[in-house]
Amino acid sequence: MTTDENELTDRSRTVTWEDPLIGAELAKTMSGLEYIQALIDEAIPAPPIVHLMRMRPVAAEVGRVTFTCDPDESHYNPIGTVHGGLVCTLLDSVLGCAVQTTLPQGQGYTSLEIKVSYLRPVMADTGQLTAVGIVTKPGTRAAFAEGTVHDANGKLIATASSTLLVFRV
């Protein structure tokens, strides 16, 4: 391939973000639901991963969170589809944030395990994805959640279940 051919196929994307520790420190001063709502309202900086993956929280209530995601070519894997890791990250985010909405101030969480079932491929032209995470069992030591991802036409793309560790921060 010549340089001229490379210039025709080269693409780029710039990702910017704010200091992630600002939001992390503020999270310690709020209930989980207050924190997720502050992210939705853009009252605090979003974690860098949301910019990198082109996802954003759009709705939250106790035990339920919705994110949207706009996949593009920068998410492609070697076989020409959006990498499953994007969908897994989207699901891990809504499952964790759904659990976070059940937590009082001073508690945090981390994923212990996640199981994802991929049902359809995602392409750059699939359109916006919508992921919903729902807590199936809140807890003070462990919590459980399930989630789904649908494409812009409402077709189910993937499902997941997760176990999350709950702890004092």
Side-chain angles (χ1 to χ4, degrees):
M1 194 176 274
T2 67
T3 303
D4 290 336
E5 290 171 345
N6 279 337
E7 289 175 9
L8 294 176
T9 61
D10 284 350
R11 291 162 170 83
S12 67
R13 185 171 147 228
T14 302
V15 179
T16 59
W17 63 90
E18 295 180 55
D19 181 352
L21 297 181
I22 294 169
E25 287 301 313
L26 287 171
K28 296 175 186 176
T29 69
M30 306 176 194
S31 73
L33 181 58
E34 290 170 335
Y35 177 72
I36 299 300
Q37 192 59 56
L39 287 174
I40 292 167
D41 296 340
E42 298 180 357
I44 57 175
I49 191 75
V50 302
H51 301 291
L52 182 64
M53 297 293 191
R54 298 188 59 186
M55 61 183 180
R56 69 201 139 285
V58 295
E61 59 189 75
V62 174
R64 182 184 176 100
V65 169
T66 303
F67 275 44
T68 58
C69 178
D70 298 304
D72 65 22
E73 286 182 338
S74 72
H75 299 126
Y76 271 23
N77 61 25
I79 62 170
T81 63
V82 169
H83 195 286
L86 173 81
V87 174
C88 184
T89 300
L90 180 59
L91 283 161
D92 188 52
S93 297
V94 295
L95 296 170
C97 289
V99 167
Q100 189 167 8
T101 65
T102 69
L103 301 178
Q105 178 181 340
Q107 285 194 311
Y109 71 92
T110 191
S111 300
L112 289 174
E113 61 84 27
I114 185 170
K115 180 198 180 296
V116 177
S117 295
Y118 300 97
L119 307 173
R120 286 188 167 77
V122 176
M123 310 295 287
D125 63 0
T126 295
Q128 187 174 77
L129 303 177
T130 301
V132 177
I134 298 171
V135 175
T136 57
K137 184 187 177 302
T140 56
R141 296 182 51 103
F144 302 87
E146 295 179 348
T148 58
V149 176
H150 288 84
D151 70 11
N153 295 317
K155 291 183 181 172
L156 186 61
I157 298 295
T159 63
S161 60
S162 183
T163 305
L164 299 101
L165 176 68
V166 175
F167 55 85
R168 297 278 316 146
V169 291

